[in-house]
Amino acid sequence: MKRKLISAIGIAGMMVSIAGCGGEGGGSDKGGADAKELTVWLTVDAQNNWPQLVKAADAAVQKKHPGLKINHEYYGWPDKNAKLDAVLATDKAPDVVEMGNTEMLGYMVKGAFAPLDPAKFDNSDAWLDGLKASVTYEDKTYGVPYYAGGRVANWRKDIAASVGVKTPPKTYKELTAALDKIQKKQGGKFNAWYQPTRDWYAAMSFVYDAGGAIATESGGQWKAGLSSPQSLKGLTEFKNVVDSYMHGDKTKDESDRYIVYGQGKSAMIFAAAWEGATAEDPKNDKTGKLKGKLENFVMPGPSGKNMPVFLGGSDLAVPVKSDAQDLAAEWINAYTGSSGQKGLMAKGNLPNNKTDLATLKNDPATAVPATAAESNWFVPMAPGWGQVEKAQILQTMLQSIGTGKKSVEAAANDADAAIDKVINTK
């Protein structure tokens, strides 16, 4: 579910052409209420997993606009943005495009998407906070949340039971007490908690749980905040986890975590909700014994509340060059509205809004990810955030902390200095 944020530099050349169109969009010349065709770009997730929802949205819009032709194109995540950048430099832009939520910012900063009226979309007043943030820039809305995926804790029930723990922990104190027992029993080469050091999604959850932030905005300017007392508290606890329970390579990121977990030398991960099930897949389960022994639970935070989690997911946007922006907005609402969300939930996705999310908490099969997603955070919606990610400032800081190359305070101060140099730069 994680999407890599495209660098603003990578779309700069394409945006020269867009700038001439104006960043506001949505004017009478672009509304296109009488357009005869609509072009919708989605990823292969929709094509492979819920094509009936696409057909239902088409039917709803075509019922209101007889004779409207709706064209669909589907793309894989690795090549989607390159194709989008190329077409946005021409006069043949799609009318609707799916974006990973962390991909939105670079395009919004450069004026690629038309502003939308949230009031025209179902449940917009209840959009999940992290998803709402992903489509909002300078107090304007440039997209509609589509669906979400959260993060949960997952552990080996059999290993927990071996130290007398039969149920998932409800508090952070209970969690660390159980992990201490597991670590002692399994020995120093075992990971009671496999937590890749460079995993900034997990580390920043500790920061936000402690009341800190990557950066905050005041008076139109962003300022890094990793060296604040609250952020340092969160980073220090993250270091404690890595020091106490992570005995693997302290320079790794999270990209192959489910593979490492499947090797059977770890008792727990804090990861995307799908990673546990993927680890126990026969293709990844090197022990041959993980099936039925892995269990998701809501990650408790040191603060005493549920750990705030990063929400991955997708948004839908209308390119500013679209000549059918009104129809595009209608299609998006037909697709992501109340009926669409029910269909997406039936396919295992988290909905885009708190109202529907609450219904999932009543089902044992979905209660854990739904409850975990209630407390969430998102990246700073600052013009230079793409440069922060491209430079891997957070990963570098975390590796320095995890390997002991720098103290928590020194690494955070260096990260703040690096962030402040670019975060306000478009």
Side-chain angles (χ1 to χ4, degrees):
M1 193 60 66
K2 181 181 71 175
R3 312 298 187 213
K4 296 295 185 182
L5 176 64
I6 185 168
S7 166
I9 294 175
I11 60 175
M14 172 268 292
M15 292 305 173
V16 172
S17 174
I18 289 177
C21 296
E24 291 301 315
S28 59
D29 61 327
K30 290 287 186 177
D34 298 323
K36 301 302 181 184
E37 288 192 27
L38 197 67
T39 298
V40 177
W41 282 20
L42 299 172
T43 69
V44 292
D45 298 333
Q47 183 182 33
N48 296 334
N49 300 319
W50 45 86
Q52 70 278 16
L53 301 183
V54 177
K55 292 180 181 179
D58 289 353
V61 175
Q62 288 170 328
K63 183 176 181 180
K64 294 173 63 177
H65 302 277
L68 176 67
K69 181 181 179 182
I70 302 178
N71 306 302
H72 292 282
E73 295 185 30
Y74 296 93
Y75 296 94
W77 286 104
D79 59 355
K80 174 183 67 69
N81 285 355
K83 293 180 183 295
L84 178 61
D85 294 350
V87 77
L88 288 182
T90 73
D91 293 323
K92 298 181 180 180
D95 302 297
V96 176
V97 61
E98 177 181 350
M99 305 293 296
N101 61 355
T102 58
E103 296 172 342
M104 285 289 294
L105 181 56
Y107 289 86
M108 293 191 294
V109 168
K110 296 297 182 179
F113 298 143
L116 302 173
D117 179 1
K120 294 183 178 181
F121 300 94
D122 293 355
N123 294 310
S124 60
D125 58 344
W127 284 344
L128 297 178
D129 295 339
L131 298 186
K132 182 178 180 180
S134 75
V135 299
T136 306
Y137 181 66
E138 294 185 341
D139 297 323
K140 292 184 179 180
T141 301
Y142 290 94
V144 175
Y146 174 10
Y147 66 89
R151 282 165 168 72
V152 299
N154 180 286
W155 75 355
R156 293 270 303 270
K157 292 188 293 183
D158 56 333
I159 293 179
S162 73
V163 295
V165 180
K166 303 296 179 63
T167 59
K170 300 296 185 183
T171 69
Y172 192 72
K173 185 176 181 180
E174 291 176 356
L175 173 63
T176 55
L179 293 176
D180 288 341
K181 293 178 182 178
I182 290 171
Q183 193 66 69
K184 182 178 180 180
K185 180 174 182 178
Q186 296 291 334
K189 294 184 178 181
F190 187 83
N191 303 303
W193 176 347
Y194 180 72
Q195 179 52 64
T197 307
R198 291 172 64 89
D199 177 12
W200 65 275
Y201 296 101
M204 293 306 105
S205 287
F206 280 88
V207 167
Y208 282 94
D209 179 71
I214 300 171
T216 55
E217 185 268 339
S218 179
Q221 290 291 300
W222 286 84
K223 179 73 175 174
L226 293 170
S227 58
S228 73
Q230 297 88 346
S231 293
L232 290 175
K233 181 179 180 181
L235 288 171
T236 298
E237 185 54 38
F238 180 75
K239 176 176 171 54
N240 290 340
V241 167
V242 172
D243 287 349
S244 300
Y245 309 121
M246 166 64 176
H247 302 291
D249 185 349
K250 299 288 179 73
T251 67
K252 285 182 65 65
D253 65 17
E254 72 281 7
S255 59
D256 64 347
R257 173 172 43 211
Y258 66 93
I259 295 175
V260 175
Y261 195 33
Q263 293 172 352
K265 298 179 181 179
S266 306
M268 174 186 148
I269 56 175
F270 173 38
W274 55 265
E275 292 190 50
T278 306
E280 71 176 19
D281 185 290
K283 292 181 294 185
N284 300 311
D285 177 10
K286 302 306 179 183
T287 72
K289 302 176 182 179
L290 293 182
K291 192 70 174 179
K293 294 179 181 177
L294 301 185
E295 179 178 31
N296 281 339
F297 59 93
V298 178
M299 179 68 187
S303 68
K305 300 178 181 179
N306 291 342
M307 184 77 87
V309 298
F310 175 83
L311 284 183
S314 282
D315 300 322
L316 297 177
V318 179
V320 73
K321 283 191 170 185
S322 165
D323 290 324
Q325 292 178 14
D326 291 344
L327 280 174
E330 283 189 45
W331 190 90
I332 291 174
N333 190 48
Y335 187 54
T336 65
S338 298
S339 60
Q341 291 301 309
K342 287 181 174 59
L344 288 166
M345 288 189 292
K347 292 295 183 177
N349 300 293
L350 294 178
N352 66 4
N353 66 90
K354 299 171 186 175
T355 304
D356 287 325
L357 187 70
T359 66
L360 295 180
K361 293 173 64 178
N362 299 322
D363 183 345
T366 55
V368 168
T371 301
E374 287 184 310
S375 177
N376 54 79
W377 62 273
F378 199 64
V379 300
M381 297 302 285
W385 178 252
Q387 296 183 57
V388 175
E389 282 212 31
K390 184 181 181 185
Q392 298 194 357
I393 294 171
L394 297 182
Q395 293 95 322
T396 299
M397 173 191 70
L398 293 170
Q399 183 170 321
S400 294
I401 291 172
T403 58
K405 182 179 180 180
K406 296 179 183 178
S407 69
V408 172
E409 185 172 0
N413 282 329
D414 289 348
D416 275 356
I419 290 171
D420 284 337
K421 286 181 180 179
V422 298
I423 197 167
N424 291 296
T425 304
K426 290 189 177 181

